[in-house]
Amino acid sequence: MTTHVEPAGGDSPVGKEFPEGLPIGDTWVEAPAAEDVRFPYDGTLVARAPVGDTTLARHAVDAALAVREQVGRLPSHTRRAALLATHEAIASRRVDFERLLVLETGKPLVDCRVEVDRTLLTLLTAAEEVARLHGETVPLDLLPSGEGLLGFWTRKPIGVVVGIAGFNYPLLLAAHKIAPSLAAGCPVIAKPAPQTPLATLWLVHLLREALRGAGAPAAAVQLVTGGPEVGVALTTDRRIGAVSFTGSAAVGHRIARDAAPTKVLLELGSNAALVVAADADLDAAADAVVRGGYYASGQACISVQRVIVVDAVREEFVARLTERVAQVVVGDPRDPATRVSALIDKRSTERVCAWLEQAVAAGASLAAGGGVTDGVIEPAVLLDADRALPVWDEEVFGPVVAVRSVPDLDTAFDVVNDSRYGLHASVYTSALDTAFAALDRLEVGGVVVNEVPGFRSDVMPYGGVKDSGAGREGPRFAIEELTVTRMAVIRPTTTKP
């Protein structure tokens, strides 16, 4: 029996046929229910996906615990081989993965191609980091009591990891949970977003096949689908070593409270800011706002949302920005030229439209876009939205950028920091001192100079401050988060001849 990926809007079927049910323990277990996965652009059926429950969640935790010691003792070459084999398996199927991502997320094809590229890099980098998982010696004799003692520390797996990913990048976000966990020697249970389970199911299937091929237990990587009750069952189980969550701030904060004292890594929301200084290259800055504000149809936590422009260049900048926004291609995400398409569901579209209407009613003006054509929000540029409005203060997660002007850079940096979020921010300037001032003053996890705040290399430490989260992703840094130091203190004995 198989799960079939059905045609959507005239396309031929895409994606792998994987066993029916959910990958739990060493096999695939029948799910108690199934739900339609529909193409967000036109609502056509993509697949019937299995839906788990709390019983299967507990079953998965039991199975992970049963292999915890075995996975923790897997040789480095075994963990590395499984990750490399998965990399090769996805690379050989990349076109099908790209098309599957388009169908289940509704993201433009160009963004899904980037997602597959980044997933491959994440798997490859995690495999390489296996060779760098080591400790170091400690000079215990800095105190007289330590004379003659040998000290060193190593890293040990933290235990079973629960990885929960968002709907916007289901393959990439799952890879950032699963690959570092396996590299660290931790069994991992993945939970994809209910709207987008298919690419993650396929990733887990390929990884379990790679584990078997390397002589490792398939239960090292499992997957349970379902709603919030499944997430609660996984994250509140006191036998879990760590929870890694990507999603909204509200849900992340609830997980942190409910999971305590379990370690929790949170990659949460943001309303990323881009500052345009008076000495900025305005063409480059306008291009960046369009490129960084509307990719993935605005459904990215570090897409440009707040644009803060110094008064001296406001009018010229807005003119260049609106000219470029008019050229953004809107429509079917399967078209390689499309840059903005439907949001994940109708409720999200209605929310974004309501926020725009609220802002206009409060005195803001639309310089471009904001209408809805065939269910797709036209890329919007909103001018002078009040700072207390959701469209400025919260995370829009749609194709909307809001522009405000300020008298000087000091004020611009203050406005960036006047937010409960702090993930990424960027500044466009030709002055080195401005760049370093931004690095020093902006209260965010990453400062990007003369590039979009949405720039993320998957090898760098990625994460936020304030309500944008805690902990860091990127294979090297996630592996450190998912391991604990174990100190060794040894007093050598002397043997008489």
Side-chain angles (χ1 to χ4, degrees), residues 309-320:
V309 188
V310 172
D311 281 333
V313 293
R314 172 194 164 107
E315 296 306 319
E316 186 177 357
F317 172 78
V318 171
R320 298 187 191 198

Side-chain angles (χ1 to χ4, degrees), residues 247-249 268-273 300-303 305-306 392-397 419-425 444 462 465 467-468:
S248 72
L268 306 179
S270 186
N271 52 6
C301 53
I302 45 178
S303 63
Q305 179 174 328
R306 298 182 295 156
W392 180 273
D393 201 43
E394 295 299 326
E395 183 177 45
V396 174
F397 231 58
S419 172
R420 68 188 182 99
Y421 296 113
L423 192 46
H424 273 198
V444 291
Y462 175 72
V465 298
D467 279 2
S468 286

Side-chain angles (χ1 to χ4, degrees), residues 296-451:
S297 303
Q299 296 175 120
C301 53
I302 45 178
S303 63
V304 177
Q305 179 174 328
R306 298 182 295 156
V307 181
I308 302 157
V309 188
V310 172
D311 281 333
V313 293
R314 172 194 164 107
E315 296 306 319
E316 186 177 357
F317 172 78
V318 171
R320 298 187 191 198
L321 174 60
T322 54
E323 179 183 356
R324 285 163 170 78
V325 171
Q327 300 169 8
V328 175
V329 178
V330 177
D332 191 329
R334 293 164 295 190
D335 185 339
T338 296
R339 293 299 179 268
V340 172
S341 191
L343 302 186
I344 189 66
D345 53 34
K346 184 178 180 181
R347 183 177 63 178
S348 297
T349 301
E350 291 172 346
R351 175 187 55 79
V352 173
C353 290
W355 284 11
L356 283 171
E357 291 170 3
Q358 179 187 23
V360 171
S365 61
L366 275 167
V372 178
T373 302
D374 296 329
V376 179
I377 300 173
E378 298 163 358
V381 175
L382 190 67
L383 302 180
D384 302 316
D386 188 278
R387 286 158 65 175
L389 289 169
V391 76
W392 180 273
D393 201 43
E394 295 299 326
E395 183 177 45
V396 174
F397 231 58
V400 177
V401 296
V403 181
R404 292 185 63 90
S405 57
V406 293
D408 51 46
L409 279 171
D410 282 340
T411 307
F413 293 159
D414 289 340
V415 172
V416 173
N417 292 337
D418 183 21
S419 172
R420 68 188 182 99
Y421 296 113
L423 192 46
H424 273 198
S426 67
V427 58
Y428 268 74
T429 179
S430 59
L432 192 59
D433 58 344
T434 299
F436 277 100
L439 290 166
D440 182 56
R441 290 190 52 191
L442 296 182
E443 298 168 357
V444 291
V447 176
V448 187
V449 179
N450 292 332
E451 186 50 86

Side-chain angles (χ1 to χ4, degrees), residues 18-228:
F18 32 79
E20 189 173 81
L22 293 169
I24 297 175
D26 284 325
T27 186
W28 287 67
V29 176
E30 182 179 357
E35 288 185 354
D36 292 345
V37 176
R38 294 192 174 274
F39 185 29
Y41 180 65
D42 63 13
T44 52
L45 181 68
V46 177
R48 291 279 291 168
V51 179
D53 58 14
T54 56
T55 299
L56 289 184
R58 288 190 290 271
H59 183 180
V61 175
D62 291 340
L65 288 166
V67 297
R68 174 185 172 183
E69 289 190 13
Q70 183 182 358
V71 174
R73 293 194 176 102
L74 286 175
S76 297
H77 69 82
T78 299
R79 287 175 279 141
R80 181 174 180 272
L83 290 166
L84 290 176
T86 307
H87 173 275
E88 293 305 312
I90 292 177
S92 68
R93 299 164 172 83
R94 64 165 303 137
V95 173
D96 281 346
F97 264 105
E98 290 165 1
R99 296 174 66 197
L100 178 57
L101 286 167
V102 171
L103 292 181
E104 72 169 334
T105 68
K107 278 193 325 219
L109 176 60
V110 63
D111 297 309
C112 295
R113 287 172 172 167
V114 171
E115 180 171 0
V116 174
D117 284 338
R118 292 180 57 191
T119 299
L120 291 171
L121 177 61
T122 300
L123 290 165
L124 182 60
T125 306
E128 293 171 345
E129 288 298 328
V130 172
R132 304 186 182 101
L133 189 57
H134 51 72
E136 60 187 53
T137 58
V138 180
L140 299 179
D141 58 357
L142 286 174
L143 287 174
S145 59
E147 291 183 20
L149 294 176
L150 172 66
F152 63 90
W153 56 266
T154 60
R155 288 194 170 274
K156 297 294 182 181
I158 200 168
V160 177
V161 176
V162 170
I164 302 177
F167 67 79
N168 55 333
Y169 282 81
L171 182 65
L172 176 63
L173 295 177
H176 270 293
K177 312 300 182 190
I178 296 169
S181 298
L182 185 59
C186 299
V188 57
I189 304 168
K191 181 188 178 300
Q195 307 98 315
T196 55
L198 301 175
T200 311
L201 269 167
W202 195 6
L203 166 66
V204 168
H205 170 61
L206 294 175
L207 188 43
R208 284 162 65 95
E209 292 298 299
L211 285 164
R212 287 192 180 95
V221 180
Q222 302 175 82
L223 183 146
V224 185
T225 55

